[in-house]
Amino acid sequence: MSTPGRPSTSERPSTPERPGGSDRPGGADADGLLAEQLLRLTRRLHRIQKHHLEPVGITPAQSRLLRTVAHFGEPPRMTDLAARLEVVPRAVTSLVDGLEACDRVRRVPDPSNRRVVRIELTDAGRATLRELRSARRAAAEDILAPLTVDQREVLEGLLSALVDPGPERGC
C-alpha cells in the first residue's frame, strides 16, 4: 500500500546493500536516499515559509531572530543571540540592522555595563510576532496537508528523536 506523497515499494528506486553499509535493509544507499529526502523537504519547507512570510515583510532568518529575542526573559546581548542561533555574531548584526530599520527591534544600553548593547522588541516587533505565528501555522499546514493526524503524530515522534538525540548521540 502506498502512503500519500511517497512512492510504493515497487515504485521506489532499488537500493542494494553495499559492503560496509548499515545493518538495516537497503544499507548506506537507503540512508543516503533518506538524507536526500530530508534535504529536499527542508528546502521545500523553507520555500513555503518564505512565501507565507512575504506579506509580513520579513525573511525566515529575521523571523527566527525575532522569536529568539522574544524567548529571552530580558533583552539579550548580541553574543547571546549568536550563540542561541548558532551563527557568527556578524550575522546577528546584519539581522538586527534590518529589523531595526523596520522598527521591530531596538538596541538599548545594558544598565550595568555601558559597553554592552542589548536587543529588545518594539511594539511593532511584538505585532510582527503575532503575524508570524499565523504565517508559520499556514506554512506548516501547507507542508503537512498530505498527512493524516496519526501520521503527523508519528512524524513528530521521529523528528523529536532526530532533533534531540540525547547526550550520547549528539554532536
Side-chain angles (χ1 to χ4, degrees):
M1 178 176 223
S2 177
T3 303
R6 183 174 180 185
S8 70
T9 307
S10 63
E11 296 169 324
R12 281 187 230 140
S14 141
T15 54
E17 189 166 351
R18 289 186 180 168
S22 73
D23 294 352
R24 51 181 281 247
D29 285 351
D31 289 343
L33 177 61
L34 184 58
E36 180 59 32
Q37 288 174 313
L38 287 170
L39 288 171
R40 288 177 54 212
L41 178 61
T42 299
R43 287 191 292 266
R44 182 169 177 245
L45 181 58
H46 186 78
R47 281 191 311 273
I48 289 171
Q49 183 182 23
K50 189 175 178 181
H51 169 75
H52 283 280
L53 291 177
E54 282 176 3
V56 181
I58 198 167
T59 67
Q62 289 173 328
S63 164
R64 189 169 173 231
L65 184 110
L66 271 181
R67 291 189 326 270
T68 303
V69 170
H71 282 96
F72 276 88
E74 62 179 356
R77 298 172 305 157
M78 300 277 260
T79 55
D80 298 331
L81 291 169
R84 179 79 56 93
L85 295 170
E86 298 179 341
V87 298
V88 297
R90 177 70 191 122
V92 171
T93 300
S94 296
L95 291 170
V96 168
D97 288 347
L99 290 168
E100 192 173 38
C102 301
D103 191 38
R104 291 180 168 130
V105 298
R106 71 176 142 254
R107 288 172 167 93
V108 295
D110 183 291
S112 62
N113 184 344
R114 64 186 179 92
R115 293 175 297 171
V116 174
V117 173
R118 294 190 174 267
I119 307 304
E120 72 178 10
L121 292 172
T122 62
D123 289 340
R126 283 185 278 284
T128 299
L129 279 171
R130 288 188 293 277
E131 291 179 73
L132 289 174
R133 286 184 194 101
S134 296
R136 290 187 70 197
R137 275 194 299 275
E141 185 53 41
D142 280 359
I143 201 91
L144 298 172
L147 303 179
T148 65
V149 171
D150 289 343
Q151 288 171 325
R152 289 178 189 204
E153 288 176 10
V154 169
L155 179 61
E156 178 190 11
L158 294 170
L159 290 174
S160 292
L162 293 173
V163 171
D164 300 318
E168 69 282 352
R169 293 177 49 208
C171 347

